């Protein structure tokens, strides 16, 4: 990782995971500050974006 900001990513992923695991199942349908998105939508978006980025890096 040459960009110093990239060193922050592993810790951010760990903290995000801790917060996601703290959400009760019944809260997944709750709204977020963006009215069109639920908690589930937001988590799926962030996780999906991370998986796509990892796949692109692996594929070169």
């Amino acid at each position: 990782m040459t960009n110093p900001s990239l060193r922050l990513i592993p810790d951010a992923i760990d903290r995000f995971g801790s917060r996601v695991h703290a959400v009760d199942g019944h809260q997944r349908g709750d709204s977020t500050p963006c009215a069109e998105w639920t908690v589930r939508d937001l988590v799926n978006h962030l996780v999906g974006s991370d998986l796509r980025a990892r796949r692109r890096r692996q594929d070169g």
Side-chain angles (χ1 to χ4, degrees):
M1 288 188 216
T2 58
N3 183 329
S5 298
L6 294 177
R7 288 189 222 125
L8 301 173
I9 293 172
D11 183 53
I13 290 171
D14 287 343
R15 288 185 292 138
F16 173 73
S18 295
R19 286 178 174 84
V20 169
H21 290 290
V23 174
D24 289 330
H26 69 278
Q27 294 173 303
R28 293 181 186 146
D30 290 357
S31 61
T32 65
C34 182
E36 296 85 25
W37 291 64
T38 64
V39 171
R40 179 183 292 106
D41 295 332
L42 180 61
V43 170
N44 287 342
H45 174 72
L46 293 170
V47 171
S49 295
D50 181 63
L51 292 173
R52 284 188 297 279
R54 289 172 188 250
R55 198 173 307 122
R56 281 194 299 269
R57 282 193 306 272
Q58 289 175 350
D59 293 344

